[in-house]
Amino acid sequence: MLAGVWDHSVFRQDMRGRLRRTAAFLARTTYGDKAQALGEIARIRRIHDHVRGTLPDGTPYEANDPQSLAWVHVTESLCFVESFIRYSRPHMSMRDRDRYFDEMAEVGTLLGADPVPRTYRAAQRFIRAARPTLRFDQRTREIADLLLNQPPASPRLAPFHHMTMQAGVDLLPGWARSMHGLSISLPARLAVRGGTTGMAAITRWALAQGSTTRSASASA
């Protein structure tokens, strides 16, 4: 899937724009009504229809390949669950984890992904089975460097931006960090987890306050 982004996207020139569009897709398919979600999925599938090419080694690829879509869907879903467990609900039950994957499977299936695990453990088995097929090359290194070294939107946000990037590195499984040549020391890990936990709590409080304010305004 990285090849499709590399060959057919302005990701390297407009990283924030690409990430905003990805976030919008996630928001509409997660929180939008059925019509919004289906419309967004149909739009993405139309875009994917035209994304195809050849890898440097001559292997053909296409964005609508079911297994490639499954990889993106599963890794994305696992990252969301793991971050929620770490920064919001450390004792999240296996039943709730499975429920999340079962609900998210609807989006993956409609996008054309296959296979689509419907439980937390099935998702982990999928990742383990896919590991031997993964590769790390110059393109991967460049995209990772762009992501991790992207400047903050404002100098005032620099400490929070750096913490967010480090929290992302910390969330990666050890084998993935090794593959990318990334590391985070134990003191840095503890500092990042503590700081990010505090940031997440403040963000949840602010969102709750905003929701309360809007509700009060609507009923006035």
Side-chain angles (χ1 to χ4, degrees):
M1 294 301 282
L2 183 144
V5 173
W6 185 280
D7 294 337
H8 298 270
S9 170
V10 294
F11 183 82
R12 283 164 289 173
Q13 295 76 37
D14 182 27
M15 183 178 296
R16 287 197 180 91
R18 172 60 192 254
L19 294 177
R20 278 196 296 269
R21 290 189 290 276
T22 300
F25 169 82
L26 293 169
R28 289 167 188 151
T29 53
T30 302
Y31 301 108
D33 59 30
K34 185 175 181 179
Q36 285 179 311
L38 291 176
E40 191 69 9
I41 290 168
R43 184 182 70 84
I44 293 301
R45 293 203 65 163
R46 287 195 298 271
I47 293 172
H48 283 177
D49 283 338
H50 304 285
V51 177
R52 57 188 67 209
T54 306
L55 298 176
D57 65 2
T59 304
Y61 71 82
E62 56 183 86
N64 274 333
D65 171 61
Q67 289 189 322
S68 296
L69 288 169
W71 171 257
V72 174
H73 172 77
V74 176
T75 53
E76 178 182 77
S77 299
L78 264 176
C79 282
F80 289 154
V81 167
E82 300 297 355
S83 61
F84 182 71
I85 291 169
R86 179 166 298 170
Y87 294 113
S88 182
R89 194 182 298 174
H91 304 295
M92 184 180 188
S93 70
M94 194 60 66
R95 179 180 179 181
D96 284 343
R97 299 182 200 190
D98 289 347
R99 179 185 173 191
Y100 172 79
F101 276 95
D102 189 53
E103 292 178 356
M104 281 295 289
E106 299 301 319
V107 176
T109 300
L110 288 169
L111 278 170
D114 185 47
V116 180
R118 287 186 170 269
T119 68
Y120 178 77
R121 289 195 175 94
Q124 291 181 314
R125 288 195 296 271
F126 174 89
I127 296 296
R128 286 196 296 271
R131 279 182 58 184
T133 69
L134 303 179
R135 68 180 71 185
F136 180 86
D137 56 21
Q138 183 55 41
R139 289 181 171 186
T140 316
R141 181 177 292 106
E142 182 172 335
I143 293 296
D145 287 344
L146 281 171
L147 278 169
L148 295 173
N149 298 312
Q150 179 77 2
S154 165
R156 291 176 298 177
L157 298 175
F160 305 102
H161 178 84
H162 178 71
M163 188 181 300
T164 301
M165 295 296 104
Q166 289 301 298
V169 171
D170 182 37
L171 274 169
L172 290 172
W175 62 264
R177 285 198 301 272
S178 296
M179 179 179 281
H180 285 272
L182 300 171
S183 63
I184 181 168
S185 67
L186 179 59
R189 181 179 292 119
L190 294 174
V192 164
R193 292 187 184 185
T196 305
T197 298
M199 236 176 15
I202 292 171
T203 301
R204 285 193 295 270
W205 175 84
L207 290 172
Q209 292 298 109
S211 176
T212 301
T213 301
R214 287 193 298 272
S215 297
S217 299
S219 59

